[in-house]
Amino acid sequence: MPSVMVRRNEDGKLLFYVAKKDLEEVITAVERDTPEEWGGEVTLSDGETFYIDPISPPPTFPTTLRFKRVD
Amino acid sequence: MAALTREETQNLIAEVLAIYPEKAKKDRAKHLMVNDRSLETAKKCITSNRKAVPGVMTIRGCAYAGSRGVCWGPIKDMIHISHGPVGCGMYSTMGRRHYMNGTTGADIFGTINVTSDFQERDIVFGGDKKLKAIIDELEKLFPLVKGYTIQSECPIGLIGDDIESVAKVKGAEIGKTIVPVRCEGFRGVSQSLGHHIANDSIRDWVLPTLDGDDSFETTPYDVNILADYNIGGDIWPSRMLLEEIGLRVISQVPGDGTLIEMQRSTKAKLNLLHCYRSMNYVSRHMEEKYGIPWMEYNLFGPTKIEASLRAIAERFDDQIKEGVERVLAKYKPQWQAVVDKYRPRLEGKKVMLYVGGLRPRHIIGAYEDLGMEVVGTGYEFAHNDDYDRTIKEMGDATLIYDDVTAYELDEFVKRLKPDLIGSGIKEKYQFQKMGFPFRQMHSWDYSGPYHGYDGFAIFARDMDMTLNNPCWKEIKAPWQRAAAPASVAA
C-alpha cells in the first residue's frame, strides 16, 4: 500500500508520484471520475494499475493518498 | 571527429563491460545506455539509484554527506553538530564552496565545525548527555546562534541515541530551533537519501513553526529560491536576475540562507527549484500543504536563462513579463560579446560530464551556447526522473552512464577522446595525468559563479582557459611524442 502524492503537472494531467519507488507517471485512466466521487482503479502511463476506494467528494489535488497495488 | 553512431556506442559499452565477471557485467549493463531522444521515459533503458557493485570504485557519498554537507550545510545562522566520531565532522569542514555573507561568530556559523567526537564510552553508555553538554557550551560560546541541527553519523543509528528527545528538551529550554536529522551514513545507496532525510526534517521541524502566523507581509511577487547552494556565489547572480524582472525573493534555501528565511518560505507564491534532485521533496510537500506551486528553472547559459525567465513570467502578470523582456534585451549585448569572443575558440569541442544528480543536464545548454557538444553524461546518484529529463537534453546516440565506475569512465574517455571532461575532484588528477583537460563541475574548480549572465562570462572564460591551455601539449615526454615536429608555437 504505497503512499502516493497525486498532483497536476503543467498540462493539467494528474501525476502519480511515489517517492520511495522513484515512480512518477501520468494517470491515464480513473475508473470513477465524477463531480461526486473520485477513485477506483487507476491506470498509469506505464501500464501499472492501482486501486483506491472511491473518495466522495473528490479530493483537491495535490494530495497524498494510500493506494493498493492491483496485480 | 564525428560523433559515434548508435551501433558504435553500443559496441563501446559491450567492449568496456567485457572485462567484468558475468554477474557484475549483467548488473552494470543496466546502468549504461545509448541515448534515444524519442523515448518518453528512461525507465526501461537505464537503472539508477541502486547499490553500487561491491569491489568496483564508485564516487558516491553517504546520507550524512547529503544532509550535513549538501542540504543543511549552507544554512548560515545555525550550527550543524556532527553527532558521532570526529572523522565525518572533520571532513565536512567547508570542503564545499557554499559561500555565505556575514561575520563568523556573530551572524554566520557555517564556517564553524562542531562534532561530539564519540569515544568508546559514548558508544557503550550513549551520547545524549554529551549532546546536551555541547549545546550548553555552544550557547555560552555563540549566544547569537539562531538554532542547531543534530546530524547523526553512523554509530548514532546503531546504538539508538535518542536525538529527538534531546532536541525537544533542549529546544524548549533555550527557546531555539533544534532539528534532529537521522541521516546516518549507512542509510540508502548514496547521498541522495540524505537529501530526502534532510528535506523531511525541514518539513517536520522548520516549516510548521510559522503556521498560523500571518505577521509577515507578503506581495503577489514573492518567490523562494530553492536548492541553489551558492557554490562559488551562484545564488547571487540568480537572485539579481530574479529581482530585476520584478520578483521579490523572500528566501534562499539553503544557499546563503538563514533559519528565518526557511520558516518564511511557506509564505511565498511560487517555489523556484534549481536542484530538482535534492529538494523536490520539500517543494512537493509545500505544494500539498501550503498550496505553493513549484517549477524547475535553469540559469546556466543565455538560451536556458531566456527560456527559464519566460517560463517563470508565465506564472505572473504582465508586469513581470515586461520585466523579463527588458532584462533579456538589457543583457543581450553582454552575453553576445562573451559568445563572440569564446565561441570561435571552443566551437565543435566535445565534452564529457559526470556529476551529482542534476548538474550535467542543466549545464548542457551553456556548453551548447559556446558551440560545444556533450558526448557523454552521467550522474552519481540520480533517480529515474532525472534520466527522464536528461534524455531530451542530450543528443541522439550519446552515451549515458549511471554511477559509472572508475574503470568504465577511464575506458569511455580513452575511446571517446573528449576535448574536455567535467567531473569531481576524485577524477580530476587521473584525467589530467592522462592528458585530458579537466574542470571540476562540483566546486567550479575554485572559480564561479556560473549562474546567470555574469556567471556565463566566467564559465566561458574558464572553459577556454582550461581547454586551450598550452600545458596539454607538454603532458607527454619529448621522446614519447610522435615524430611530428614538437616545437610548434601555440
PDB file of all heavy atoms in Angstrom, chain B residues 157-188:
ATOM      1  N   GLY B 157      22.754   5.749  14.758  1.00  0.00           N
ATOM      2  CA  GLY B 157      21.664   4.861  14.392  1.00  0.00           C
ATOM      3  C   GLY B 157      21.870   3.466  14.958  1.00  0.00           C
ATOM      4  O   GLY B 157      20.909   2.777  15.327  1.00  0.00           O
ATOM      5  N   LEU B 158      23.132   3.051  15.070  1.00  0.00           N
ATOM      6  CA  LEU B 158      23.406   1.686  15.539  1.00  0.00           C
ATOM      7  C   LEU B 158      23.129   1.550  17.030  1.00  0.00           C
ATOM      8  O   LEU B 158      22.598   0.540  17.477  1.00  0.00           O
ATOM      9  CB  LEU B 158      24.864   1.321  15.238  1.00  0.00           C
ATOM     10  CG  LEU B 158      25.227   1.302  13.757  1.00  0.00           C
ATOM     11  CD1 LEU B 158      26.727   1.118  13.596  1.00  0.00           C
ATOM     12  CD2 LEU B 158      24.484   0.206  13.033  1.00  0.00           C
ATOM     13  N   ILE B 159      23.487   2.574  17.826  1.00  0.00           N
ATOM     14  CA  ILE B 159      23.269   2.464  19.265  1.00  0.00           C
ATOM     15  C   ILE B 159      21.937   3.051  19.678  1.00  0.00           C
ATOM     16  O   ILE B 159      21.510   2.878  20.807  1.00  0.00           O
ATOM     17  CB  ILE B 159      24.415   3.134  20.068  1.00  0.00           C
ATOM     18  CG1 ILE B 159      24.444   4.652  19.823  1.00  0.00           C
ATOM     19  CG2 ILE B 159      25.766   2.532  19.714  1.00  0.00           C
ATOM     20  CD1 ILE B 159      25.459   5.374  20.677  1.00  0.00           C
ATOM     21  N   GLY B 160      21.265   3.746  18.774  1.00  0.00           N
ATOM     22  CA  GLY B 160      19.926   4.252  19.073  1.00  0.00           C
ATOM     23  C   GLY B 160      19.895   5.420  20.041  1.00  0.00           C
ATOM     24  O   GLY B 160      19.014   5.501  20.887  1.00  0.00           O
ATOM     25  N   ASP B 161      20.807   6.344  19.901  1.00  0.00           N
ATOM     26  CA  ASP B 161      20.751   7.577  20.696  1.00  0.00           C
ATOM     27  C   ASP B 161      19.447   8.310  20.397  1.00  0.00           C
ATOM     28  O   ASP B 161      19.062   8.438  19.240  1.00  0.00           O
ATOM     29  CB  ASP B 161      21.926   8.484  20.283  1.00  0.00           C
ATOM     30  CG  ASP B 161      22.999   8.543  21.345  1.00  0.00           C
ATOM     31  OD1 ASP B 161      22.957   7.685  22.238  1.00  0.00           O
ATOM     32  OD2 ASP B 161      23.865   9.412  21.253  1.00  0.00           O
ATOM     33  N   ASP B 162      18.804   8.822  21.434  1.00  0.00           N
ATOM     34  CA  ASP B 162      17.527   9.494  21.214  1.00  0.00           C
ATOM     35  C   ASP B 162      17.754  10.985  20.974  1.00  0.00           C
ATOM     36  O   ASP B 162      17.553  11.813  21.859  1.00  0.00           O
ATOM     37  CB  ASP B 162      16.620   9.259  22.424  1.00  0.00           C
ATOM     38  CG  ASP B 162      15.180   9.622  22.102  1.00  0.00           C
ATOM     39  OD1 ASP B 162      14.952  10.151  20.995  1.00  0.00           O
ATOM     40  OD2 ASP B 162      14.314   9.388  22.940  1.00  0.00           O
ATOM     41  N   ILE B 163      18.175  11.325  19.768  1.00  0.00           N
ATOM     42  CA  ILE B 163      18.479  12.734  19.489  1.00  0.00           C
ATOM     43  C   ILE B 163      17.203  13.573  19.420  1.00  0.00           C
ATOM     44  O   ILE B 163      17.230  14.759  19.687  1.00  0.00           O
ATOM     45  CB  ILE B 163      19.318  12.898  18.209  1.00  0.00           C
ATOM     46  CG1 ILE B 163      18.620  12.303  16.997  1.00  0.00           C
ATOM     47  CG2 ILE B 163      20.703  12.297  18.384  1.00  0.00           C
ATOM     48  CD1 ILE B 163      19.296  12.653  15.689  1.00  0.00           C
ATOM     49  N   GLU B 164      16.089  12.941  19.089  1.00  0.00           N
ATOM     50  CA  GLU B 164      14.831  13.698  19.018  1.00  0.00           C
ATOM     51  C   GLU B 164      14.465  14.240  20.394  1.00  0.00           C
ATOM     52  O   GLU B 164      14.037  15.389  20.527  1.00  0.00           O
ATOM     53  CB  GLU B 164      13.686  12.830  18.496  1.00  0.00           C
ATOM     54  CG  GLU B 164      13.698  12.599  16.994  1.00  0.00           C
ATOM     55  CD  GLU B 164      14.610  11.456  16.599  1.00  0.00           C
ATOM     56  OE1 GLU B 164      15.201  10.812  17.494  1.00  0.00           O
ATOM     57  OE2 GLU B 164      14.745  11.197  15.391  1.00  0.00           O
ATOM     58  N   SER B 165      14.628  13.397  21.410  1.00  0.00           N
ATOM     59  CA  SER B 165      14.248  13.872  22.742  1.00  0.00           C
ATOM     60  C   SER B 165      15.194  14.969  23.212  1.00  0.00           C
ATOM     61  O   SER B 165      14.756  15.954  23.804  1.00  0.00           O
ATOM     62  CB  SER B 165      14.199  12.691  23.721  1.00  0.00           C
ATOM     63  OG  SER B 165      15.304  12.695  24.578  1.00  0.00           O
ATOM     64  N   VAL B 166      16.493  14.818  22.913  1.00  0.00           N
ATOM     65  CA  VAL B 166      17.428  15.889  23.276  1.00  0.00           C
ATOM     66  C   VAL B 166      17.012  17.187  22.591  1.00  0.00           C
ATOM     67  O   VAL B 166      16.988  18.261  23.209  1.00  0.00           O
ATOM     68  CB  VAL B 166      18.880  15.512  22.877  1.00  0.00           C
ATOM     69  CG1 VAL B 166      19.816  16.673  23.128  1.00  0.00           C
ATOM     70  CG2 VAL B 166      19.341  14.282  23.627  1.00  0.00           C
ATOM     71  N   ALA B 167      16.637  17.085  21.295  1.00  0.00           N
ATOM     72  CA  ALA B 167      16.245  18.278  20.547  1.00  0.00           C
ATOM     73  C   ALA B 167      15.032  18.941  21.189  1.00  0.00           C
ATOM     74  O   ALA B 167      14.989  20.166  21.339  1.00  0.00           O
ATOM     75  CB  ALA B 167      15.953  17.905  19.095  1.00  0.00           C
ATOM     76  N   LYS B 168      14.060  18.135  21.570  1.00  0.00           N
ATOM     77  CA  LYS B 168      12.841  18.709  22.159  1.00  0.00           C
ATOM     78  C   LYS B 168      13.136  19.356  23.510  1.00  0.00           C
ATOM     79  O   LYS B 168      12.739  20.497  23.763  1.00  0.00           O
ATOM     80  CB  LYS B 168      11.794  17.608  22.328  1.00  0.00           C
ATOM     81  CG  LYS B 168      10.967  17.420  21.071  1.00  0.00           C
ATOM     82  CD  LYS B 168       9.869  16.411  21.300  1.00  0.00           C
ATOM     83  CE  LYS B 168       9.318  15.916  19.967  1.00  0.00           C
ATOM     84  NZ  LYS B 168       8.961  14.515  19.994  1.00  0.00           N
ATOM     85  N   VAL B 169      13.854  18.613  24.365  1.00  0.00           N
ATOM     86  CA  VAL B 169      14.107  19.110  25.717  1.00  0.00           C
ATOM     87  C   VAL B 169      14.962  20.375  25.676  1.00  0.00           C
ATOM     88  O   VAL B 169      14.610  21.405  26.255  1.00  0.00           O
ATOM     89  CB  VAL B 169      14.810  18.005  26.557  1.00  0.00           C
ATOM     90  CG1 VAL B 169      15.321  18.570  27.865  1.00  0.00           C
ATOM     91  CG2 VAL B 169      13.848  16.861  26.799  1.00  0.00           C
ATOM     92  N   LYS B 170      16.069  20.299  24.950  1.00  0.00           N
ATOM     93  CA  LYS B 170      16.967  21.450  24.915  1.00  0.00           C
ATOM     94  C   LYS B 170      16.338  22.613  24.166  1.00  0.00           C
ATOM     95  O   LYS B 170      16.533  23.770  24.532  1.00  0.00           O
ATOM     96  CB  LYS B 170      18.301  21.081  24.261  1.00  0.00           C
ATOM     97  CG  LYS B 170      19.194  20.176  25.059  1.00  0.00           C
ATOM     98  CD  LYS B 170      19.443  20.650  26.459  1.00  0.00           C
ATOM     99  CE  LYS B 170      20.521  21.682  26.604  1.00  0.00           C
ATOM    100  NZ  LYS B 170      20.780  21.945  28.052  1.00  0.00           N
ATOM    101  N   GLY B 171      15.587  22.304  23.113  1.00  0.00           N
ATOM    102  CA  GLY B 171      14.929  23.363  22.339  1.00  0.00           C
ATOM    103  C   GLY B 171      13.988  24.166  23.214  1.00  0.00           C
ATOM    104  O   GLY B 171      13.956  25.401  23.173  1.00  0.00           O
ATOM    105  N   ALA B 172      13.199  23.457  24.052  1.00  0.00           N
ATOM    106  CA  ALA B 172      12.279  24.148  24.951  1.00  0.00           C
ATOM    107  C   ALA B 172      13.056  24.946  25.998  1.00  0.00           C
ATOM    108  O   ALA B 172      12.674  26.055  26.365  1.00  0.00           O
ATOM    109  CB  ALA B 172      11.367  23.126  25.631  1.00  0.00           C
ATOM    110  N   GLU B 173      14.185  24.372  26.423  1.00  0.00           N
ATOM    111  CA  GLU B 173      14.958  25.012  27.477  1.00  0.00           C
ATOM    112  C   GLU B 173      15.585  26.327  27.004  1.00  0.00           C
ATOM    113  O   GLU B 173      15.510  27.351  27.688  1.00  0.00           O
ATOM    114  CB  GLU B 173      16.052  24.035  27.922  1.00  0.00           C
ATOM    115  CG  GLU B 173      16.709  24.367  29.233  1.00  0.00           C
ATOM    116  CD  GLU B 173      17.842  23.383  29.507  1.00  0.00           C
ATOM    117  OE1 GLU B 173      17.610  22.161  29.456  1.00  0.00           O
ATOM    118  OE2 GLU B 173      18.967  23.859  29.744  1.00  0.00           O
ATOM    119  N   ILE B 174      16.185  26.308  25.814  1.00  0.00           N
ATOM    120  CA  ILE B 174      16.886  27.511  25.350  1.00  0.00           C
ATOM    121  C   ILE B 174      16.021  28.358  24.421  1.00  0.00           C
ATOM    122  O   ILE B 174      16.414  29.455  24.035  1.00  0.00           O
ATOM    123  CB  ILE B 174      18.222  27.164  24.651  1.00  0.00           C
ATOM    124  CG1 ILE B 174      17.989  26.296  23.417  1.00  0.00           C
ATOM    125  CG2 ILE B 174      19.179  26.473  25.607  1.00  0.00           C
ATOM    126  CD1 ILE B 174      19.240  26.066  22.599  1.00  0.00           C
ATOM    127  N   GLY B 175      14.867  27.841  24.044  1.00  0.00           N
ATOM    128  CA  GLY B 175      13.960  28.611  23.202  1.00  0.00           C
ATOM    129  C   GLY B 175      14.447  28.806  21.777  1.00  0.00           C
ATOM    130  O   GLY B 175      14.176  29.822  21.146  1.00  0.00           O
ATOM    131  N   LYS B 176      15.202  27.840  21.256  1.00  0.00           N
ATOM    132  CA  LYS B 176      15.670  27.930  19.870  1.00  0.00           C
ATOM    133  C   LYS B 176      15.280  26.672  19.104  1.00  0.00           C
ATOM    134  O   LYS B 176      14.947  25.648  19.715  1.00  0.00           O
ATOM    135  CB  LYS B 176      17.194  28.092  19.842  1.00  0.00           C
ATOM    136  CG  LYS B 176      17.640  29.448  20.330  1.00  0.00           C
ATOM    137  CD  LYS B 176      19.146  29.599  20.277  1.00  0.00           C
ATOM    138  CE  LYS B 176      19.528  30.975  20.816  1.00  0.00           C
ATOM    139  NZ  LYS B 176      20.974  31.116  20.976  1.00  0.00           N
ATOM    140  N   THR B 177      15.332  26.776  17.796  1.00  0.00           N
ATOM    141  CA  THR B 177      15.007  25.624  16.970  1.00  0.00           C
ATOM    142  C   THR B 177      16.168  24.632  16.987  1.00  0.00           C
ATOM    143  O   THR B 177      17.293  25.003  16.685  1.00  0.00           O
ATOM    144  CB  THR B 177      14.768  26.067  15.512  1.00  0.00           C
ATOM    145  OG1 THR B 177      13.734  27.048  15.520  1.00  0.00           O
ATOM    146  CG2 THR B 177      14.377  24.907  14.636  1.00  0.00           C
ATOM    147  N   ILE B 178      15.884  23.403  17.360  1.00  0.00           N
ATOM    148  CA  ILE B 178      16.900  22.350  17.255  1.00  0.00           C
ATOM    149  C   ILE B 178      16.307  21.237  16.397  1.00  0.00           C
ATOM    150  O   ILE B 178      15.231  20.729  16.689  1.00  0.00           O
ATOM    151  CB  ILE B 178      17.312  21.807  18.631  1.00  0.00           C
ATOM    152  CG1 ILE B 178      17.811  22.961  19.518  1.00  0.00           C
ATOM    153  CG2 ILE B 178      18.405  20.752  18.487  1.00  0.00           C
ATOM    154  CD1 ILE B 178      18.320  22.524  20.869  1.00  0.00           C
ATOM    155  N   VAL B 179      17.000  20.927  15.320  1.00  0.00           N
ATOM    156  CA  VAL B 179      16.478  19.958  14.358  1.00  0.00           C
ATOM    157  C   VAL B 179      17.293  18.675  14.434  1.00  0.00           C
ATOM    158  O   VAL B 179      18.478  18.684  14.122  1.00  0.00           O
ATOM    159  CB  VAL B 179      16.550  20.515  12.922  1.00  0.00           C
ATOM    160  CG1 VAL B 179      15.934  19.556  11.939  1.00  0.00           C
ATOM    161  CG2 VAL B 179      15.891  21.873  12.839  1.00  0.00           C
ATOM    162  N   PRO B 180      16.689  17.577  14.863  1.00  0.00           N
ATOM    163  CA  PRO B 180      17.424  16.318  14.811  1.00  0.00           C
ATOM    164  C   PRO B 180      17.303  15.709  13.417  1.00  0.00           C
ATOM    165  O   PRO B 180      16.215  15.676  12.853  1.00  0.00           O
ATOM    166  CB  PRO B 180      16.706  15.445  15.843  1.00  0.00           C
ATOM    167  CG  PRO B 180      15.316  15.975  15.865  1.00  0.00           C
ATOM    168  CD  PRO B 180      15.336  17.403  15.416  1.00  0.00           C
ATOM    169  N   VAL B 181      18.409  15.301  12.838  1.00  0.00           N
ATOM    170  CA  VAL B 181      18.368  14.727  11.486  1.00  0.00           C
ATOM    171  C   VAL B 181      18.942  13.316  11.540  1.00  0.00           C
ATOM    172  O   VAL B 181      20.089  13.116  11.915  1.00  0.00           O
ATOM    173  CB  VAL B 181      19.170  15.580  10.481  1.00  0.00           C
ATOM    174  CG1 VAL B 181      18.883  15.115   9.073  1.00  0.00           C
ATOM    175  CG2 VAL B 181      18.848  17.047  10.623  1.00  0.00           C
ATOM    176  N   ARG B 182      18.127  12.357  11.168  1.00  0.00           N
ATOM    177  CA  ARG B 182      18.517  10.941  11.206  1.00  0.00           C
ATOM    178  C   ARG B 182      19.207  10.565   9.900  1.00  0.00           C
ATOM    179  O   ARG B 182      18.697   9.764   9.126  1.00  0.00           O
ATOM    180  CB  ARG B 182      17.272  10.086  11.400  1.00  0.00           C
ATOM    181  CG  ARG B 182      16.771  10.102  12.820  1.00  0.00           C
ATOM    182  CD  ARG B 182      17.469   9.044  13.620  1.00  0.00           C
ATOM    183  NE  ARG B 182      17.157   9.106  15.052  1.00  0.00           N
ATOM    184  CZ  ARG B 182      17.968   8.642  15.973  1.00  0.00           C
ATOM    185  NH1 ARG B 182      19.118   8.093  15.624  1.00  0.00           N
ATOM    186  NH2 ARG B 182      17.635   8.707  17.235  1.00  0.00           N
ATOM    187  N   CYS B 183      20.362  11.166   9.646  1.00  0.00           N
ATOM    188  CA  CYS B 183      20.998  10.973   8.345  1.00  0.00           C
ATOM    189  C   CYS B 183      22.217  10.064   8.463  1.00  0.00           C
ATOM    190  O   CYS B 183      23.255  10.344   7.891  1.00  0.00           O
ATOM    191  CB  CYS B 183      21.396  12.323   7.767  1.00  0.00           C
ATOM    192  SG  CYS B 183      22.472  13.234   8.857  1.00  0.00           S
ATOM    193  N   GLU B 184      22.099   8.976   9.210  1.00  0.00           N
ATOM    194  CA  GLU B 184      23.224   8.057   9.356  1.00  0.00           C
ATOM    195  C   GLU B 184      23.727   7.616   7.986  1.00  0.00           C
ATOM    196  O   GLU B 184      22.956   7.313   7.087  1.00  0.00           O
ATOM    197  CB  GLU B 184      22.810   6.827  10.159  1.00  0.00           C
ATOM    198  CG  GLU B 184      22.624   7.091  11.638  1.00  0.00           C
ATOM    199  CD  GLU B 184      21.206   7.558  11.956  1.00  0.00           C
ATOM    200  OE1 GLU B 184      20.430   7.765  11.011  1.00  0.00           O
ATOM    201  OE2 GLU B 184      20.901   7.711  13.145  1.00  0.00           O
ATOM    202  N   GLY B 185      25.039   7.570   7.871  1.00  0.00           N
ATOM    203  CA  GLY B 185      25.662   7.337   6.562  1.00  0.00           C
ATOM    204  C   GLY B 185      25.269   6.047   5.881  1.00  0.00           C
ATOM    205  O   GLY B 185      25.271   5.962   4.651  1.00  0.00           O
ATOM    206  N   PHE B 186      24.895   5.030   6.672  1.00  0.00           N
ATOM    207  CA  PHE B 186      24.607   3.743   6.030  1.00  0.00           C
ATOM    208  C   PHE B 186      23.227   3.712   5.387  1.00  0.00           C
ATOM    209  O   PHE B 186      22.867   2.757   4.722  1.00  0.00           O
ATOM    210  CB  PHE B 186      24.731   2.595   7.046  1.00  0.00           C
ATOM    211  CG  PHE B 186      23.899   2.776   8.278  1.00  0.00           C
ATOM    212  CD1 PHE B 186      22.533   2.564   8.241  1.00  0.00           C
ATOM    213  CD2 PHE B 186      24.484   3.175   9.462  1.00  0.00           C
ATOM    214  CE1 PHE B 186      21.759   2.748   9.376  1.00  0.00           C
ATOM    215  CE2 PHE B 186      23.711   3.358  10.606  1.00  0.00           C
ATOM    216  CZ  PHE B 186      22.351   3.141  10.565  1.00  0.00           C
ATOM    217  N   ARG B 187      22.426   4.742   5.602  1.00  0.00           N
ATOM    218  CA  ARG B 187      21.085   4.734   5.014  1.00  0.00           C
ATOM    219  C   ARG B 187      21.174   4.970   3.512  1.00  0.00           C
ATOM    220  O   ARG B 187      21.851   5.884   3.065  1.00  0.00           O
ATOM    221  CB  ARG B 187      20.222   5.825   5.633  1.00  0.00           C
ATOM    222  CG  ARG B 187      19.874   5.587   7.077  1.00  0.00           C
ATOM    223  CD  ARG B 187      18.977   6.689   7.579  1.00  0.00           C
ATOM    224  NE  ARG B 187      18.929   6.699   9.026  1.00  0.00           N
ATOM    225  CZ  ARG B 187      18.066   5.999   9.756  1.00  0.00           C
ATOM    226  NH1 ARG B 187      17.170   5.247   9.149  1.00  0.00           N
ATOM    227  NH2 ARG B 187      18.097   6.040  11.067  1.00  0.00           N
ATOM    228  N   GLY B 188      20.456   4.185   2.779  1.00  0.00           N
ATOM    229  CA  GLY B 188      20.361   4.425   1.337  1.00  0.00           C
ATOM    230  C   GLY B 188      21.614   4.024   0.587  1.00  0.00           C
ATOM    231  O   GLY B 188      22.580   3.536   1.169  1.00  0.00           O
TER     232      GLY B 188
END
